[in-house]
Amino acid sequence: MEAKKRNQSCKETIIPYLPYGVVTGILSKLPVKSLLRLRCVCKSWLNLVSAPQFITTHLHQSITNLSIEKLHIIIARCDFHDHRLYKFNLAAEKIDHILEIKSHPKLKFIGSSNGLVCFTYAGGSLFLYNLSTRVYKEIKPYGDFRYFDDRYKHGFGYDHSTDDYKVVKEDKDGFYVYSLRSDSWKKVVQHFPYHGLAVASGTLLNGALHWLLLDTIWMEPLAIVAFDLIDEKFREIPLPDFSTSAFKSELSRVKLLGGCLCILPLPHTGHEFLIMKKYGVKQSWTKVEIKAPYHRFMEPLALFYNDEALLLIDFVELVLYNTREGTCRNFVLQGMPDTNTKTFVVKAAYMESLVSPIMGGESKAISRIK
């Protein structure tokens, strides 16, 4: 009893003497897992860590100081009887969270932004889920449309102008946008104003989602189309000049790499990539080659300041490649069930955050969605 009183006295006398700015600065540099534990230290720290301003500060720290230690990987299990999302910790090289989805195997990954993951399954409701805090929000479909069909464009991203997260979806009847802040859907255009097939979800950069549209017969690039999440209008990004290159027929999708738009080749076709070093400038498209050993498929997931690139090999293997020294290091997926690796697919690089999918309401932490 005496020791308990001393500990309580210690908390009441030491913590209040730490300047607020000092406490904020120290805590903002800690990983999410540590912050979730520190919320239990005292009420003032709970209020601090839960405050919107602190969540924004912590997110900014993570973005500006991105390293391999802060990056996680989202892995989906594509088993007919069971679907799960795994969060793989690159620093510890182990699975540190599993989200079970029991009721239907048809899971579709829509995208991730600032620590929130957007996905749907069974063609029904959407879910926004923070894999670190384990807080989720279910988004009901709008009207009669339910399915996120591969024939239609879709994506998920952050609108910094209104501090809002938005889901976009094309349907045969128009193009729709969901706003998390207003918790509502709206139609923005009657029809998608471009022709072509997009084989991947929209890639977020500079407040807009980007799709590489391909000819449905020859599968050659037609255009890069961006949907601005702020003014909710479409614009076109210039393609590279393909007049003297056979590379055109090998391109399949646009991704984000090192803060730049990157056009990736089709699986099994090579290790050359096109990067737009200056956004919106056609002349800035540059061909980049990564000469890392690989088998049938390779995709760069992230570039780091120390000349390292995180590569995805054959959809399931993760490799850290040093572009300057030409050395490789494989990550072992510890914690994965002992099963056929073909049932697991790496979906995206993921950065932890405290961002909540709930705006202005109570939330619930879970590890399973039924």
Side-chain angles (χ1 to χ4, degrees):
M1 181 64 71
E2 193 67 30
K4 184 176 181 180
K5 289 182 178 180
R6 284 199 301 269
N7 290 336
Q8 184 65 30
S9 176
C10 180
K11 289 181 181 180
E12 293 175 352
T13 56
I14 295 178
I15 294 176
Y17 282 98
L18 290 175
Y20 181 84
V22 173
V23 175
T24 301
I26 294 173
L27 297 187
S28 66
K29 295 179 173 62
L30 296 179
V32 171
K33 189 174 183 178
S34 298
L35 291 172
L36 295 179
R37 291 173 177 171
L38 288 174
R39 291 186 305 180
C40 303
V41 171
C42 59
K43 188 175 181 180
S44 61
W45 282 22
L46 171 63
N47 293 334
L48 171 61
V49 172
S50 305
Q53 184 176 356
F54 178 83
I55 293 174
T56 301
T57 300
H58 181 267
L59 178 63
H60 180 73
Q61 284 276 2
S62 300
I63 294 174
T64 55
N65 299 287
L66 183 62
S67 64
I68 195 71
E69 289 77 19
K70 293 184 178 181
L71 203 63
H72 292 65
I73 297 296
I74 300 172
I75 302 171
R77 180 176 180 178
C78 308
D79 186 273
F80 180 77
H81 302 289
D82 188 10
H83 244 79
R84 301 183 185 190
L85 286 180
Y86 294 80
K87 183 162 68 72
F88 178 71
N89 187 324
L90 288 171
E93 296 194 31
K94 66 178 182 179
I95 300 296
D96 60 7
H97 178 52
I98 302 172
L99 172 63
E100 299 181 54
I101 303 169
K102 287 291 187 181
S103 51
H104 204 286
K106 293 183 179 179
L107 179 144
K108 187 171 186 61
F109 182 82
I110 306 301
S112 66
S113 180
N114 293 345
L116 295 184
V117 175
C118 179
F119 63 91
T120 182
Y121 69 91
S125 296
L126 280 164
F127 288 90
L128 296 185
Y129 188 79
N130 187 315
L131 291 169
S132 304
T133 63
R134 307 187 185 186
V135 175
Y136 81 102
K137 177 180 177 64
E138 182 178 359
I139 302 171
K140 297 297 183 181
Y142 175 81
D144 295 329
F145 82 80
R146 294 174 57 82
Y147 295 94
F148 277 74
D149 195 300
D150 288 336
R151 296 173 296 172
Y152 300 115
K153 290 77 183 173
H154 49 258
F156 170 67
Y158 176 65
D159 176 3
H160 65 85
S161 68
T162 56
D163 188 27
D164 195 6
Y165 290 87
K166 295 180 177 180
V167 182
V168 301
K169 180 193 182 301
E170 181 194 13
D171 187 78
K172 62 182 180 180
D173 298 322
F175 203 86
Y176 299 81
V177 175
Y178 169 82
S179 164
L180 178 61
R181 182 161 293 280
S182 64
D183 192 23
S184 62
W185 289 91
K186 68 177 179 180
K187 181 186 286 189
V188 292
V189 292
Q190 187 66 29
H191 297 289
F192 185 72
Y194 298 88
H195 297 286
L197 174 70
V199 298
S201 295
T203 295
L204 182 67
L205 178 63
N206 292 344
L209 290 167
H210 300 73
W211 297 272
L212 177 64
L213 303 186
L214 304 175
D215 181 272
T216 55
I217 298 176
W218 303 105
M219 297 302 288
E220 291 187 349
L222 298 175
I224 296 176
V225 175
F227 178 74
D228 196 305
L229 294 175
I230 298 175
D231 60 19
E232 297 182 346
K233 294 181 179 180
F234 294 96
R235 65 174 184 268
E236 196 168 334
I237 305 297
L239 282 169
D241 184 4
F242 297 113
S243 59
T244 60
S245 174
F247 196 43
K248 181 178 181 180
S249 61
E250 300 175 351
L251 303 177
S252 65
R253 61 210 185 281
V254 64
K255 293 290 184 180
L256 187 64
L257 187 61
C260 300
L261 281 182
C262 174
I263 302 181
L264 300 180
L266 291 166
H268 325 310
T269 59
H271 48 252
E272 293 181 337
F273 311 93
L274 290 170
I275 294 181
M276 183 178 249
K277 292 189 173 181
K278 189 173 182 180
Y279 183 75
V281 179
K282 180 175 182 176
Q283 293 75 16
S284 70
W285 281 109
T286 305
K287 186 179 292 187
V288 176
E289 184 177 10
I290 297 180
K291 297 181 179 180
Y294 68 96
H295 302 285
R296 295 170 299 166
F297 170 84
M298 180 183 72
E299 177 181 335
L301 295 177
L303 290 178
F304 303 104
Y305 63 90
N306 56 353
D307 298 315
E308 289 184 326
L310 183 65
L311 308 177
L312 171 63
I313 309 296
D314 292 345
F315 299 100
V316 292
E317 296 181 34
L318 295 172
V319 172
L320 189 63
Y321 174 66
N322 190 298
T323 59
R324 177 169 39 85
E325 300 175 357
T327 57
C328 294
R329 180 169 73 88
N330 286 70
F331 289 95
V332 179
L333 299 179
Q334 300 180 30
M336 297 292 282
D338 185 17
T339 187
N340 188 347
T341 56
K342 292 182 180 180
T343 64
F344 296 95
V345 178
V346 175
K347 288 296 184 180
Y350 175 81
M351 183 184 64
E352 289 195 310
S353 80
L354 293 164
V355 174
S356 174
I358 307 296
M359 290 190 173
E362 294 296 322
S363 59
K364 180 175 65 173
I366 62 159
S367 60
R368 176 179 296 183
I369 292 178
K370 298 181 179 180

